[in-house]
Amino acid sequence: MNPRANNISLSFPERAERILNLIAIVAATGGAILFLIEYGFHLSGVRAHLFHLLVYIICWFLVAQFFTKFVFASVKKKSLAVNQKDFFLISGFLVTLFLLRTDLLPFDLEKIFVYKVFILLFLGMRASYLNRIFLLFPLSPALTVVTTFVLIIAVGTGLLLLPVATVSGKTTKILDAVFTATSATCVTGLIVVDTGSHFSVSYTHLTLPTN
């Protein structure tokens, strides 16, 4: 069956829901990238405040798109059943904010932390969409292994290049980061910089196999 024909046969609410789902995934991914930038580059003051404002906007957009899909759904029960996980996540998010605002929580919790956890959980529940993307590119078992290693090394390299990854006064060269990430992924134990004195305590865990 032609996928394009399926798209044409979709009703307006169904097409709108697909578009909202895609925008929500992009927004949540942007939120996750904001977290990485904030913690990776030691942001503070006005910049941190701006990033937090963007996080708030993303969160309330995610909430708004859920209720928008529900309001315009032709069959409300079906929409709620399909988006059941989102319903429980958003309900928990809103209840937590209410308890936080009324000081009813038995422990201290920062509001921005609640927003960040909400975005990460929302993005985590969209893992199935990532699987669909990977299925569009069928790979042989050997190529899948190679691709996995390359992706892990690329992510590790990016994390090791962040300013927060090193101790104060030190930086990591790109080649050193690539070598360290490759060594940690392949568990070779080879190093080009002293792990204990060069990388910060939190990022030393990324290079445990090289210690």
Side-chain angles (χ1 to χ4, degrees):
M1 187 176 292
N2 189 352
R4 183 173 296 179
N6 286 338
N7 291 332
I8 295 176
S9 63
L10 291 175
S11 63
F12 174 75
E14 290 174 330
R15 279 184 287 178
E17 181 174 356
R18 288 194 174 188
I19 294 174
L20 282 174
N21 284 335
L22 179 59
I23 296 176
I25 293 174
V26 173
T29 303
I33 294 174
L34 288 178
F35 306 158
L36 184 62
I37 294 175
E38 179 184 358
Y39 292 114
F41 289 89
H42 298 290
L43 296 184
S44 59
V46 177
R47 290 183 179 179
H49 180 73
L50 177 60
F51 271 60
H52 292 172
L53 179 61
L54 292 175
V55 169
Y56 295 149
I57 294 174
I58 290 173
C59 282
W60 288 114
F61 167 76
L62 297 179
V63 173
Q65 62 87 30
F66 169 79
F67 286 107
T68 301
K69 290 188 296 184
F70 178 75
V71 169
F72 289 97
S74 55
V75 183
K76 298 292 191 293
K77 289 185 178 180
K78 180 180 178 181
S79 175
L80 195 58
V82 171
N83 300 287
Q84 186 177 25
K85 293 181 180 179
D86 287 352
F87 171 75
F88 286 116
L89 176 62
I90 291 174
S91 297
F93 170 66
L94 295 177
V95 169
T96 303
L97 288 181
F98 173 77
L99 295 176
L100 195 61
R101 186 176 182 83
T102 55
D103 295 327
L104 294 177
L105 286 176
F107 49 86
D108 293 331
L109 193 64
E110 291 187 7
K111 184 173 67 173
I112 187 62
F113 176 78
V114 177
Y115 280 83
K116 291 177 178 179
V117 171
F118 171 71
I119 290 179
L120 292 178
L121 290 177
F122 184 92
L123 190 60
M125 292 194 309
R126 296 303 187 278
S128 59
Y129 288 93
L130 297 178
N131 292 335
R132 294 178 188 178
I133 295 176
F134 286 125
L135 290 176
L136 296 176
F137 306 95
L139 303 175
S140 64
L143 193 55
T144 300
V145 173
V146 173
T147 303
T148 302
F149 267 87
V150 171
L151 289 175
I152 294 174
I153 291 171
V155 172
T157 300
L159 292 175
L160 292 176
L161 286 174
L162 294 174
V164 74
T166 55
V167 297
S168 179
K170 293 188 177 181
T171 58
T172 305
K173 297 179 181 178
I174 294 180
L175 289 179
D176 291 343
V178 172
F179 188 93
T180 303
T182 304
S183 178
T185 303
C186 301
V187 202
T188 63
L190 301 176
I191 58 174
V192 288
V193 294
D194 183 66
T195 304
S197 61
H198 184 83
F199 294 108
S200 59
V201 176
S202 58
Y203 274 72
T204 300
H205 298 294
L206 291 175
T207 61
L208 281 178
T210 64
N211 292 342

PDB file of all heavy atoms in Angstrom, residues 123-133 135:
ATOM      1  N   LEU A 123      10.576  12.840  26.357  1.00  0.00           N
ATOM      2  CA  LEU A 123      11.432  12.423  25.250  1.00  0.00           C
ATOM      3  C   LEU A 123      11.709  10.927  25.308  1.00  0.00           C
ATOM      4  O   LEU A 123      11.744  10.251  24.270  1.00  0.00           O
ATOM      5  CB  LEU A 123      12.740  13.208  25.288  1.00  0.00           C
ATOM      6  CG  LEU A 123      13.670  13.067  24.075  1.00  0.00           C
ATOM      7  CD1 LEU A 123      12.959  13.544  22.813  1.00  0.00           C
ATOM      8  CD2 LEU A 123      14.937  13.872  24.295  1.00  0.00           C
ATOM      9  N   GLY A 124      11.893  10.400  26.524  1.00  0.00           N
ATOM     10  CA  GLY A 124      12.147   8.972  26.672  1.00  0.00           C
ATOM     11  C   GLY A 124      10.986   8.123  26.190  1.00  0.00           C
ATOM     12  O   GLY A 124      11.182   7.025  25.646  1.00  0.00           O
ATOM     13  N   MET A 125       9.775   8.620  26.369  1.00  0.00           N
ATOM     14  CA  MET A 125       8.599   7.876  25.929  1.00  0.00           C
ATOM     15  C   MET A 125       8.433   7.915  24.409  1.00  0.00           C
ATOM     16  O   MET A 125       7.575   7.238  23.862  1.00  0.00           O
ATOM     17  CB  MET A 125       7.342   8.426  26.602  1.00  0.00           C
ATOM     18  CG  MET A 125       7.293   8.172  28.096  1.00  0.00           C
ATOM     19  SD  MET A 125       5.677   8.438  28.850  1.00  0.00           S
ATOM     20  CE  MET A 125       5.253  10.068  28.252  1.00  0.00           C
ATOM     21  N   ARG A 126       9.254   8.724  23.737  1.00  0.00           N
ATOM     22  CA  ARG A 126       9.211   8.791  22.277  1.00  0.00           C
ATOM     23  C   ARG A 126      10.307   7.944  21.648  1.00  0.00           C
ATOM     24  O   ARG A 126      10.624   8.111  20.470  1.00  0.00           O
ATOM     25  CB  ARG A 126       9.353  10.242  21.812  1.00  0.00           C
ATOM     26  CG  ARG A 126       8.210  11.166  22.253  1.00  0.00           C
ATOM     27  CD  ARG A 126       6.883  10.633  21.762  1.00  0.00           C
ATOM     28  NE  ARG A 126       5.764  11.512  22.000  1.00  0.00           N
ATOM     29  CZ  ARG A 126       5.090  11.606  23.160  1.00  0.00           C
ATOM     30  NH1 ARG A 126       5.472  10.892  24.207  1.00  0.00           N
ATOM     31  NH2 ARG A 126       4.052  12.399  23.269  1.00  0.00           N
ATOM     32  N   ALA A 127      10.888   7.026  22.395  1.00  0.00           N
ATOM     33  CA  ALA A 127      11.969   6.192  21.861  1.00  0.00           C
ATOM     34  C   ALA A 127      11.505   5.350  20.679  1.00  0.00           C
ATOM     35  O   ALA A 127      12.290   5.041  19.771  1.00  0.00           O
ATOM     36  CB  ALA A 127      12.523   5.281  22.960  1.00  0.00           C
ATOM     37  N   SER A 128      10.226   4.981  20.674  1.00  0.00           N
ATOM     38  CA  SER A 128       9.705   4.161  19.582  1.00  0.00           C
ATOM     39  C   SER A 128       9.793   4.902  18.247  1.00  0.00           C
ATOM     40  O   SER A 128       9.983   4.286  17.188  1.00  0.00           O
ATOM     41  CB  SER A 128       8.249   3.763  19.857  1.00  0.00           C
ATOM     42  OG  SER A 128       7.429   4.913  20.000  1.00  0.00           O
ATOM     43  N   TYR A 129       9.665   6.241  18.280  1.00  0.00           N
ATOM     44  CA  TYR A 129       9.776   7.024  17.050  1.00  0.00           C
ATOM     45  C   TYR A 129      11.196   6.951  16.493  1.00  0.00           C
ATOM     46  O   TYR A 129      11.395   6.926  15.278  1.00  0.00           O
ATOM     47  CB  TYR A 129       9.398   8.484  17.306  1.00  0.00           C
ATOM     48  CG  TYR A 129       7.922   8.698  17.525  1.00  0.00           C
ATOM     49  CD1 TYR A 129       7.374   8.700  18.797  1.00  0.00           C
ATOM     50  CD2 TYR A 129       7.056   8.892  16.449  1.00  0.00           C
ATOM     51  CE1 TYR A 129       6.011   8.891  19.008  1.00  0.00           C
ATOM     52  CE2 TYR A 129       5.700   9.086  16.647  1.00  0.00           C
ATOM     53  CZ  TYR A 129       5.175   9.082  17.922  1.00  0.00           C
ATOM     54  OH  TYR A 129       3.840   9.266  18.116  1.00  0.00           O
ATOM     55  N   LEU A 130      12.181   6.915  17.386  1.00  0.00           N
ATOM     56  CA  LEU A 130      13.564   6.780  16.935  1.00  0.00           C
ATOM     57  C   LEU A 130      13.789   5.421  16.286  1.00  0.00           C
ATOM     58  O   LEU A 130      14.526   5.310  15.299  1.00  0.00           O
ATOM     59  CB  LEU A 130      14.519   6.968  18.117  1.00  0.00           C
ATOM     60  CG  LEU A 130      14.497   8.348  18.788  1.00  0.00           C
ATOM     61  CD1 LEU A 130      15.445   8.371  19.973  1.00  0.00           C
ATOM     62  CD2 LEU A 130      14.875   9.424  17.795  1.00  0.00           C
ATOM     63  N   ASN A 131      13.154   4.390  16.840  1.00  0.00           N
ATOM     64  CA  ASN A 131      13.266   3.061  16.238  1.00  0.00           C
ATOM     65  C   ASN A 131      12.714   3.048  14.822  1.00  0.00           C
ATOM     66  O   ASN A 131      13.267   2.399  13.926  1.00  0.00           O
ATOM     67  CB  ASN A 131      12.521   2.027  17.096  1.00  0.00           C
ATOM     68  CG  ASN A 131      13.199   1.794  18.434  1.00  0.00           C
ATOM     69  OD1 ASN A 131      14.401   2.010  18.563  1.00  0.00           O
ATOM     70  ND2 ASN A 131      12.439   1.368  19.427  1.00  0.00           N
ATOM     71  N   ARG A 132      11.621   3.768  14.606  1.00  0.00           N
ATOM     72  CA  ARG A 132      11.041   3.842  13.265  1.00  0.00           C
ATOM     73  C   ARG A 132      11.997   4.498  12.286  1.00  0.00           C
ATOM     74  O   ARG A 132      12.089   4.105  11.124  1.00  0.00           O
ATOM     75  CB  ARG A 132       9.733   4.626  13.305  1.00  0.00           C
ATOM     76  CG  ARG A 132       8.622   3.956  14.096  1.00  0.00           C
ATOM     77  CD  ARG A 132       7.373   4.824  14.117  1.00  0.00           C
ATOM     78  NE  ARG A 132       6.363   4.285  15.018  1.00  0.00           N
ATOM     79  CZ  ARG A 132       5.195   4.875  15.251  1.00  0.00           C
ATOM     80  NH1 ARG A 132       4.907   6.017  14.667  1.00  0.00           N
ATOM     81  NH2 ARG A 132       4.324   4.321  16.091  1.00  0.00           N
ATOM     82  N   ILE A 133      12.729   5.510  12.772  1.00  0.00           N
ATOM     83  CA  ILE A 133      13.698   6.186  11.902  1.00  0.00           C
ATOM     84  C   ILE A 133      14.819   5.232  11.522  1.00  0.00           C
ATOM     85  O   ILE A 133      15.237   5.166  10.352  1.00  0.00           O
ATOM     86  CB  ILE A 133      14.260   7.436  12.605  1.00  0.00           C
ATOM     87  CG1 ILE A 133      13.154   8.468  12.824  1.00  0.00           C
ATOM     88  CG2 ILE A 133      15.403   8.050  11.782  1.00  0.00           C
ATOM     89  CD1 ILE A 133      13.591   9.687  13.599  1.00  0.00           C
ATOM     90  N   LEU A 135      14.651   2.048  11.344  1.00  0.00           N
ATOM     91  CA  LEU A 135      14.128   0.998  10.462  1.00  0.00           C
ATOM     92  C   LEU A 135      14.070   1.462   9.008  1.00  0.00           C
ATOM     93  O   LEU A 135      13.982   0.625   8.096  1.00  0.00           O
ATOM     94  CB  LEU A 135      12.730   0.570  10.927  1.00  0.00           C
ATOM     95  CG  LEU A 135      12.678  -0.216  12.247  1.00  0.00           C
ATOM     96  CD1 LEU A 135      11.231  -0.490  12.647  1.00  0.00           C
ATOM     97  CD2 LEU A 135      13.446  -1.523  12.128  1.00  0.00           C
TER      98      LEU A 135
END
